Amino acid sequence: MSTTNGQWYPPEWPERIRLLSTGELTPVTPRRAATVLLLRDGQDGRDGDGASAPERSETAERGAGGDGGTTGTGETRKTEETEEAGETRESGASAVPGEPEGSVRDGHEGRDGRDGHDGPDAPGGPAVYMLRRRASMAFAGGAYAYPGGSVDPRDERMVAWAGPSRAQWARRLGLEANDATQAQAIVCAAVRETFEEAGVLLAGPTPHTVVADTTGDDWEADRAALVARDLSFAEFLDRRGLVLRSDLLGCWARWITPEFEPRRYDTWFFVAALPRGQRTRNASTEADRTVWIRPGEAADGYDRGELLMMPPTIATLRQLRPYGSVGEALAGAADRDLTPVLAQARLEHGELVLSWPGHDEFTKHIQTGTTGGSSA
C-alpha cells in the first residue's frame, strides 16, 4: 500500500484494475451485507481509565469500563415468507426508519440542522464502536471497521417485527417497493451481526422495550450457535419471545465493493444507539481489538496513517463528526442519500485512475505497468 494516510489499498489492486479495464476480468456479483455504526453518548473518545482508545489492547478493554464479558470461541463462518406490507405503522413503530421511540431516545435532543458533512467534531459528540480486523484476514486484514457481515438466506424468515413496515424499509433501502422480504433480510442481518460480533441486541420482549442484558452462559451459547449457523436468527428470536426493533436503526449509506475485487459486497451502513443496560464486548474471532472512539479522533488517526481503514469506514466517520449526540445522528439518518457508492476504474493517458464518485479523497492514479499508486 502506497499512501501517506490510512487508506486500505491492497498491492494486487493495480493489476486487477488493469485486467478490468482491458476486459480480461469479469466482475463477480456482490453479496448483500449490512454493518452497524453503534453509537453512545457521554464519551470523549477514551475508555474508562483515560487511555487513548486506539492504543488499548483487547484484554485491557474487557477489564475496563465500556466493554465487558469474554471473547467468544469458535471460528466465525459466514454463508451466502413474504409479507404483504402496507403503509400502516406496525405496533410500536415510528413512521420513518431511524426515528426510534422509547427509552433509547429519552433525553436526546432532536437534530439541529447539521447536514452530516465533514467538519469539526461537535462538542461532546457521540463515540462509535469499532473493531480491528485480524491481520490474518484475507479481506481488509488490520483495518478498523464496524460490526457487520453478509446476509444469511435464513434472514428472510418471518420474525416478530416492530418499526416501519418491511415495504417502507424496502423503499428506504433503495429496493423495489414489493421487495419486502429482502428488506427484512438486510435489517435482520444488521441486528444479527451486531449481536454476533459485539454482543449487543436490538430486540426486546415488546415493541417498546429492549433487552437490558445479553451476558451469561445462555446468551453466549445462542450467540455461538448463530455464528456457527446452527441457529437461524428467526429461531433465536422466536425461542426467546423477542421482537426485532427495526425502529432503532437508521440507514446511513450504501457502498458496493469495486468490480475488480474478488470478494464483493453490496453493503448498507446503519446507525443505532447502544441500548441502556447493554455493554459491548469483542465477541468476534475476526477482530483482535475493539474501541469506543469519537469519529473525529478516529479520522485524525487515519489522516496520520496510524489507523488503517477502507474508504466506506473513513467516509462514514467524517460524516458523523458534526453531530452532537446519538439522537441527532439518528434523526439525521432519515435524510441521508443512499445512492450506492461504487468505485470506477478507467484508463486515462497511460495511467489507471481509480475513483469513488462523490469522494475525491480516495482517488488513485496508477502508472501502467507499476504496482504502486499515489493519492490524487
Side-chain angles (χ1 to χ4, degrees):
M1 179 176 68
S2 177
T3 178
T4 56
N5 57 26
Q7 183 175 344
W8 182 68
Y9 186 72
E12 66 270 17
W13 271 15
E15 176 60 15
R16 298 192 65 83
I17 294 170
R18 184 192 67 77
L19 293 173
L20 179 68
S21 66
T22 58
E24 300 174 70
L25 186 151
T26 301
V28 300
T29 301
R31 298 169 59 184
R32 285 178 171 170
T35 191
V36 176
L37 285 67
L38 198 60
L39 306 173
R40 72 179 183 189
D41 282 323
Q43 301 296 321
D44 62 357
R46 296 177 184 275
D47 284 328
D49 64 359
S52 180
E55 300 171 356
R56 300 291 307 281
S57 70
E58 173 192 343
T59 302
E61 283 165 350
R62 292 203 307 268
D67 286 357
T70 58
T71 303
T73 58
E75 277 299 316
T76 299
R77 176 164 57 85
K78 307 292 183 186
T79 68
E80 307 284 293
E81 308 117 27
T82 302
E83 177 196 36
E84 295 297 330
E87 295 301 314
T88 59
R89 290 172 61 183
E90 302 185 33
S91 61
S94 62
V96 180
E99 291 287 344
E101 296 179 352
S103 63
V104 174
R105 287 262 315 185
D106 289 348
H108 291 313
E109 297 296 325
R111 191 182 180 201
D112 64 357
R114 294 183 176 90
D115 62 6
H117 296 299
D118 191 17
D121 279 308
V128 60
Y129 182 73
M130 304 188 74
L131 53 84
R132 188 179 67 182
R133 294 173 59 83
R134 294 186 183 277
S136 58
M137 297 296 295
F139 183 80
Y144 279 83
Y146 313 114
S150 300
V151 171
D152 183 334
R154 297 176 301 172
D155 289 332
E156 297 180 7
R157 297 180 181 178
M158 294 300 292
V159 299
W161 184 274
S165 71
R166 294 160 174 85
Q168 287 176 298
W169 270 111
R171 288 191 296 275
R172 179 64 184 130
L173 297 175
L175 305 176
E176 296 295 328
N178 61 355
D179 205 354
T181 301
Q182 285 302 308
Q184 176 192 286
I186 293 165
V187 172
C188 278
V191 176
R192 175 180 51 75
E193 288 284 345
T194 302
F195 179 58
E196 288 182 10
E197 298 195 345
V200 170
L201 183 60
L202 303 177
T206 74
H208 303 282
T209 58
V210 183
V211 171
D213 185 8
T214 60
T215 61
D217 292 342
D218 59 334
W219 285 102
E220 176 57 25
D222 280 349
R223 192 201 65 79
L226 286 168
V227 170
R229 300 298 181 257
D230 294 333
L231 180 69
S232 73
F233 195 55
E235 292 168 333
F236 164 71
L237 293 178
D238 182 64
R239 190 166 72 189
R240 286 187 172 269
L242 297 176
V243 179
L244 184 144
R245 292 289 306 274
S246 81
D247 54 325
L248 300 185
L249 289 166
C251 201
W252 192 263
R254 181 182 178 184
W255 288 67
I256 301 177
T257 310
E259 293 181 331
F260 49 81
E261 171 60 45
R263 302 172 186 84
R264 299 191 65 209
Y265 302 92
D266 183 354
T267 304
W268 282 263
F269 288 74
F270 295 85
V271 290
L274 176 68
R276 282 203 183 102
Q278 294 192 35
R279 301 201 301 177
T280 54
R281 57 196 173 96
N282 185 5
S284 172
T285 58
E286 296 180 353
D288 61 8
R289 177 174 295 182
T290 61
V291 298
W292 278 102
I293 185 170
R294 289 187 65 193
E297 185 180 350
D300 290 345
Y302 167 91
D303 290 336
R304 293 191 299 266
E306 297 170 359
L307 302 182
L308 184 66
M309 298 180 199
M310 293 175 282
T313 309
I314 180 58
T316 49
L317 284 171
R318 295 198 197 284
Q319 292 159 358
L320 281 173
R321 292 186 69 162
Y323 293 93
S325 71
V326 174
E328 290 178 9
L330 290 174
D335 299 325
R336 295 287 306 168
D337 181 6
L338 297 186
T339 301
V341 180
L342 173 62
Q344 299 175 348
R346 61 191 184 276
L347 185 63
E348 284 186 0
H349 310 297
E351 69 176 6
L352 296 169
V353 180
L354 173 61
S355 62
W356 278 260
H359 300 271
D360 292 342
E361 72 166 297
F362 305 128
T363 301
K364 295 283 186 180
H365 293 261
I366 307 148
Q367 294 299 317
T368 304
T370 68
T371 58
S374 59
S375 297

